[in-house]
Amino acid sequence: MGNADTKLNFRKAVVQLTSKTQPIDASDDGFWDQFWAECITNVQDVYTLVPGAEIRALREESPNNLATLVYKAVEKMVKTVDSSCRTQREQQIALNCCRLLTRVLPYMLEEPEWHSFFWSSLPAAGENESVPLAQSLINAICDLLFCPDFTVVSTKRSGPERAEDLTSLDSCEYIWAGGVGFARSPSRNAQHEAARAELLRLLLTCFSETIYKTSQQAAMHHNKWIAYLTSADNRHALPLFTSLLNTVCAYDPVGIGLPYNHLLFADTLEPLVEVALQVLIVALDHDTNNISAAEPDEVVPDNLFINYLSRIHRDEDFQFVLRGITRLLNNPLAQTYLPNSSKKVALHQELLVLFWKMCDFNKKFMYYVLKSSDVLEVLVPILYHLNDSRADQSRVGLMHIGVFILLLLSGERNFGVRLNKPYTATVPIDIAVFTGTHADLLVVVFHKIITTGHQRLQPLFDCLLTILVNVSPYLKTLSMVASTKLLHLLEAFSTPWFLFSQPNHHHLVFFLLEMFNNMIQYQFDGNSNLVYTIIRKRAVFHSLANLPHEHTAIARSLAAARPARALPRSRSTESVKEAAMEGSRPAQPAQPGTLNATLPDTPAITSMTERESAHPREQLLPKRSGGDGQDGEKPDGDHDARPEQKEQTNTRHSKRDNALNNIPQKEGWRATGEWVSSWRGRLPLQTIMRLLQVLVPQVEKICIDKGLTDESEILRFLQHGTLVGLLPVPHPILIRKYQANAGTAAWFRTYMWGVIYLRNVDPPIWYDTNVKLFEIQRV
């Protein structure tokens, strides 16, 4: 009963505050103290007893009362810090102030006029040097995050009279978890973890000013909240960064691994890890090198979080971070004999953003990842999520970040080399069973995304094929399954109706031909499966070489395409029903009513990548007398895999819903004979045509002479064959390396905040506020 009475009193205070149009005196402590009284013991109470509509009404009709409420709450938190937050009562008050601010701040941040309010001085500052309200709040939160006996275990003798002074305490002694830069592993305490999570949630709420701006405004926006937290003015910047990173990377959801133990005991660490990861990636998004200050005389401080991240260099630290990320990425995919017996965490989207930031800001980390087969521990979960999300429109953002990470890694030679490691199916992926390498897994998953994914994935096709082109010179033994899938893609993309339906579809054919050329020129010896498949599918290449370019033929090809025609299936025997891996589930579309945050358009592949030669030119092109030398002079006939200036504007800005199975004509554009002629002659077919010219007669002769019908004999012949001296001069390997650009930066920011918005449902921090960075849609 007593608890109900105190909640009633709290509710009465809220009603009193919102109903009074006259300002309530700031010195009336008896009234204000009702809002952080000890009766409110959890965050759900605050969200129930303070409705959003009333906060809005307070903002519009009694702005003075709202301002005083926030001032008093911040002032109360500062006072608890000054008294070192020694008693349980003070700790409860600090948490209640934190909960109230988390509830109220989003409704203030959604209104641009209130932004300057937080950077004004506290009225009580008087003759002292004025400190903006936002700085006082962040200082108080950071001090409380390292408060002995409240959020950390005290290393000193306990007791209120022996409590340390929070304002002078060395927080480096109280880093939350061992790992990077901190060897000791402090003992765990569930209450401390819960308190940290609530304080971090308030910090995240402060940072969310960004989501109330459009994508263009956010790109130019200098978020002062994040800037102050990550600046040298915050004495806790280093221990807080270290605590967040180590808390995430040291987390092991399975622990000692007793079956079903997660159902018996509440895990207070998971909510802390989740919000720590979100605060970390948001703080790392504020790259001060790309932001100009709003006022000319304002100096934008360095982001120390990015600075610290970029300076990590010890192998054991890299190993700790990588092992933590891969452990959590692989956790939901682990199979157990007892259903649902081990704990699964769903942090993969935030983890992929963290991995991206690590690779982006610390190149040594990326080279460390690629130095060993550990990179495959990142690759397999990414491919799992890509394959599993391909039919779900609400997970289109997850598809993009997975592909962007693979694009970044594929720019490095070591990634292609690592893909040759044999793959043993440990993760139940819904794909055809095959025996082969991780490269085969990559090809099979990409083929499945392209042929069976939903229509909004089409802007990613360029990226998927660029990744395959980048790794192709290093793939030693492609399996028959993967080889067949690649030839099926070429067969589908080179169909005249598909080529002529959009101005950029022919680029997909250029990418695939370049991939085949790389494998023939540099890895011919081990790729007899691919060579055999090319020979069997030689009609596809002959059709490409003789592609019609007369106006009537183009019109006839387009007319033959039925409106709802799907991407052509392979007509060969491989298109029979394939058995999926044991334990796998087919990809499912989004559940009706699923919430989905909108994303900016996918940046053009030309704006995301830059072509680089993988090795010096003179080593690559030995002088030969005779032979078809001009192929070496101009690599790949300088083909059109990279759309050049005159076409670049046409390539990516088509509607996202231009589907493979229902392709509308681009407005105002129609395929012409001149347009087809402009690129048809530059198709890099010379190497493949020469291969067919040499090998087809030999294979036919063997079949006739020996009466062969068994393909294994033909494969054995191809394995021992050679084309040395018969092919055109090897072309330089061209790698399209990812280049940081404004388009992907804006995309990542929107995606990251969309994930954070949708993941914070308990409590629903930003629900029902006027978000501008993205729209929330129901799928």
Side-chain angles (χ1 to χ4, degrees):
M1 275 301 289
N3 192 30
D5 287 346
T6 48
K7 284 184 183 176
L8 187 64
N9 291 338
F10 179 84
R11 179 70 193 132
K12 281 179 182 171
V14 173
V15 171
Q16 200 177 346
L17 181 68
T18 51
S19 58
K20 286 195 177 181
T21 50
Q22 293 302 312
I24 299 170
D25 191 356
S27 59
D28 185 357
D29 287 340
F31 174 75
W32 296 111
D33 284 349
Q34 296 175 90
F35 291 100
W36 27 89
E38 296 133 89
C39 57
I40 301 301
T41 53
N42 61 56
V43 71
Q44 284 75 20
D45 285 350
V46 175
Y47 276 74
T48 307
L49 298 170
V50 189
E54 291 184 18
I55 304 172
R56 273 212 184 88
L58 184 63
R59 186 188 71 199
E60 301 306 324
E61 293 158 26
S62 313
N64 282 344
N65 286 345
L66 179 60
T68 309
L69 177 69
V70 173
Y71 271 135
K72 296 295 285 184
V74 174
E75 184 185 56
K76 199 72 185 173
M77 286 181 79
V78 171
K79 281 181 178 170
T80 60
V81 169
D82 290 341
S83 63
S84 299
C85 207
R86 298 159 193 239
T87 64
Q88 205 165 348
R89 180 172 180 274
E90 283 179 318
Q91 291 169 8
Q92 188 62 53
I93 286 172
L95 283 177
N96 285 344
C97 290
C98 170
R99 291 161 184 161
L100 189 69
L101 289 168
T102 304
R103 178 64 173 142
V104 169
L105 282 181
Y107 293 91
M108 301 172 78
L109 294 174
E110 75 175 354
E111 200 57 63
E113 297 88 63
W114 281 88
H115 291 183
S116 56
F117 162 78
F118 294 102
W119 298 95
S120 56
S121 309
L122 281 165
E127 67 282 353
N128 300 334
E129 190 181 343
S130 60
V131 177
L133 185 66
Q135 285 188 19
S136 300
L137 177 56
I138 288 177
N139 288 339
I141 295 170
C142 290
D143 283 336
L144 290 170
L145 283 170
F146 296 98
C147 176
D149 298 323
F150 177 36
T151 51
V152 292
V153 176
S154 176
T155 57
K156 306 289 188 290
R157 288 173 63 185
S158 57
E161 68 286 347
R162 295 188 176 276
E164 294 181 73
D165 182 5
L166 283 191
T167 50
S168 60
L169 170 141
D170 179 8
S171 47
C172 286
E173 293 179 19
Y174 290 102
I175 288 169
W176 305 339
V180 176
F182 191 71
R184 198 170 72 246
S185 288
S187 56
R188 283 188 52 190
N189 180 303
Q191 279 184 305
H192 295 174
E193 288 164 0
R196 278 179 218 160
E198 295 211 44
L199 289 161
L200 287 177
R201 215 170 279 128
L202 174 56
L203 211 48
L204 196 60
T205 309
C206 295
F207 295 165
S208 66
E209 187 176 283
T210 304
I211 66 174
Y212 299 106
K213 299 186 177 295
T214 63
S215 190
Q216 290 78 10
Q217 290 169 334
M220 305 303 295
H221 174 50
H222 169 46
N223 189 319
K224 292 183 177 180
W225 297 90
I226 301 175
Y228 181 73
L229 181 92
T230 59
S231 72
D233 293 333
N234 175 15
R235 69 189 187 89
H236 299 292
L238 176 58
L240 183 57
F241 167 78
T242 310
S243 294
L244 295 173
L245 183 64
N246 290 355
T247 297
V248 171
C249 295
Y251 178 47
D252 184 357
V254 176
I256 54 172
L258 291 173
Y260 303 106
N261 64 343
H262 63 289
L263 301 177
L264 304 175
F265 308 103
D267 182 5
T268 52
L269 194 50
E270 187 186 353
L272 172 63
V273 170
E274 189 176 311
V275 70
L277 181 51
Q278 290 170 358
V279 169
L280 183 59
I281 59 177
V282 168
L284 291 171
D285 183 55
H286 190 71
D287 189 356
T288 49
N289 296 327
N290 302 332
I291 294 174
S292 53
E295 289 131 34
D297 56 342
E298 185 184 6
V299 178
V300 180
D302 278 349
N303 183 329
L304 293 183
F305 277 34
I306 292 177
N307 193 335
Y308 297 143
L309 185 71
S310 65
R311 286 184 3 220
I312 298 172
H313 63 278
R314 298 189 314 162
D315 276 6
E316 51 266 45
D317 289 341
F318 288 153
Q319 186 185 14
F320 168 77
V321 172
L322 181 61
R323 194 186 292 132
I325 290 174
T326 54
R327 182 195 307 118
L328 293 174
L329 277 179
N330 284 284
N331 162 267
L333 319 184
Q335 287 183 289
T336 50
Y337 290 109
L338 298 168
N340 305 317
S341 62
S342 65
K343 185 173 176 62
K344 309 283 189 196
V345 292
L347 302 168
H348 49 277
Q349 300 194 79
E350 296 98 317
L351 284 164
L352 291 177
V353 175
L354 177 63
F355 183 77
W356 174 270
K357 298 281 184 198
M358 289 285 303
C359 291
D360 194 20
F361 292 127
N362 192 325
K363 291 297 176 225
K364 286 181 182 171
F365 174 75
M366 186 167 80
Y367 299 140
Y368 174 84
V369 171
L370 292 166
K371 196 168 70 175
S372 72
S373 297
D374 289 346
V375 68
L376 304 175
E377 295 290 307
V378 178
L379 171 74
V380 172
I382 288 177
L383 291 178
Y384 171 85
H385 287 301
L386 290 181
N387 189 60
D388 192 51
S389 309
R390 68 184 190 276
D392 185 346
Q393 296 212 23
S394 70
R395 290 193 280 172
V396 70
L398 175 58
M399 298 289 297
H400 277 71
I401 187 172
V403 172
F404 287 162
I405 288 173
L406 297 183
L407 179 65
L408 176 72
L409 296 176
S410 73
E412 303 298 328
R413 176 185 177 275
N414 268 1
F415 181 66
V417 172
R418 298 286 160 236
L419 291 176
N420 290 306
K421 184 177 179 181
Y423 174 69
T424 49
T426 52
V427 173
I429 305 182
D430 170 37
I431 53 171
V433 178
F434 68 91
T435 304
T437 64
H438 284 77
D440 296 309
L441 178 67
L442 187 77
V443 169
V444 171
V445 169
F446 280 12
H447 175 269
K448 194 132 190 177
I449 292 167
I450 291 170
T451 55
T452 65
H454 62 76
Q455 57 194 30
R456 288 179 63 200
L457 298 180
Q458 203 185 345
L460 281 178
F461 290 2
D462 278 1
C463 284
L464 294 171
L465 296 188
T466 299
I467 293 162
L468 293 178
V469 173
N470 281 349
V471 301
S472 59
Y474 314 109
L475 305 185
K476 294 181 184 301
T477 53
L478 216 57
S479 70
M480 186 61 84
V481 170
S483 302
T484 307
K485 302 288 187 195
L486 286 175
L487 263 295
H488 172 229
L489 287 181
L490 182 68
E491 191 178 5
F493 290 148
S494 60
T495 312
W497 73 265
F498 181 78
L499 276 176
F500 300 153
S501 60
Q502 288 293 320
N504 59 322
H505 279 173
H506 63 287
H507 299 141
L508 303 172
V509 171
F510 276 96
F511 280 133
L512 284 165
L513 291 177
E514 184 181 352
M515 182 186 185
F516 295 145
N517 286 342
N518 283 341
M519 294 180 73
I520 292 165
Q521 292 279 24
Y522 292 100
Q523 300 293 347
F524 178 82
D525 292 348
N527 278 305
S528 53
N529 288 324
L530 180 69
V531 174
Y532 174 65
T533 313
I534 288 173
I535 291 172
R536 283 184 50 228
K537 293 283 187 180
R538 56 191 179 276
V540 176
F541 300 98
H542 291 302
S543 300
L544 264 177
N546 300 304
L547 194 69
H549 61 285
E550 304 82 18
H551 293 280
T552 50
I554 293 171
R556 202 163 46 245
S557 298
L558 289 169
R562 294 190 301 279
R565 188 162 172 183
L567 184 69
R569 301 287 177 208
S570 174
R571 289 186 296 277
S572 60
T573 52
E574 298 81 41
S575 61
V576 294
K577 182 77 176 158
E578 295 166 328
M581 288 186 180
E582 190 180 347
S584 65
R585 319 179 277 113
Q588 298 296 322
Q591 291 287 325
T594 304
L595 293 179
N596 170 38
T598 58
L599 290 163
D601 281 345
T602 313
I605 191 70
T606 44
S607 67
M608 281 201 288
T609 57
E610 201 165 286
R611 285 165 67 151
E612 291 184 16
S613 182
H615 36 49
R617 193 179 173 84
E618 56 274 11
Q619 289 178 10
L620 221 155
L621 301 177
K623 289 191 167 48
R624 292 191 188 178
S625 55
D628 196 1
Q630 70 267 28
D631 287 310
E633 305 278 322
K634 199 168 190 190
D636 294 359
D638 193 24
H639 65 68
D640 203 9
R642 185 185 187 188
E644 296 304 338
Q645 289 80 354
K646 66 179 188 302
E647 289 180 359
Q648 192 171 333
T649 51
N650 293 337
T651 57
R652 292 265 44 118
H653 302 297
S654 54
K655 295 279 184 202
R656 306 193 99 199
D657 294 336
N658 285 359
L660 273 176
N661 57 351
N662 189 8
I663 301 168
Q665 288 290 318
K666 188 172 175 69
E667 197 177 335
W669 181 87
R670 190 165 290 281
T672 64
E674 294 75 23
W675 171 76
V676 175
S677 299
S678 72
W679 54 261
R680 192 186 76 150
R682 288 184 288 129
L683 284 166
L685 287 164
Q686 302 93 326
T687 301
I688 294 171
M689 287 308 194
R690 185 75 184 122
L691 174 143
L692 293 173
Q693 191 183 348
V694 173
L695 291 180
V696 169
Q698 294 181 9
V699 170
E700 286 178 342
K701 185 173 186 304
I702 290 173
C703 291
I704 293 166
D705 289 354
K706 297 190 176 180
L708 289 181
T709 53
D710 183 11
E711 61 184 31
S712 61
E713 287 290 330
I714 302 167
L715 287 169
R716 199 169 296 122
F717 163 73
L718 292 172
Q719 277 167 0
H720 298 104
T722 178
L723 292 177
V724 173
L726 297 173
L727 292 178
V729 178
H731 53 274
I733 297 175
L734 285 171
I735 303 295
R736 293 166 183 80
K737 280 182 177 276
Y738 168 81
Q739 296 294 322
N741 63 90
T744 47
W747 188 93
F748 269 93
R749 184 175 302 110
T750 307
Y751 170 65
M752 175 183 70
W753 275 111
V755 169
I756 291 171
Y757 178 99
L758 293 172
R759 298 263 290 135
N760 281 276
V761 291
D762 185 23
I765 300 177
W766 300 281
Y767 179 74
D768 197 33
T769 62
N770 186 23
V771 173
K772 291 181 183 164
L773 188 64
F774 46 82
E775 288 175 36
I776 294 294
Q777 302 172 333
R778 287 191 184 277
V779 177

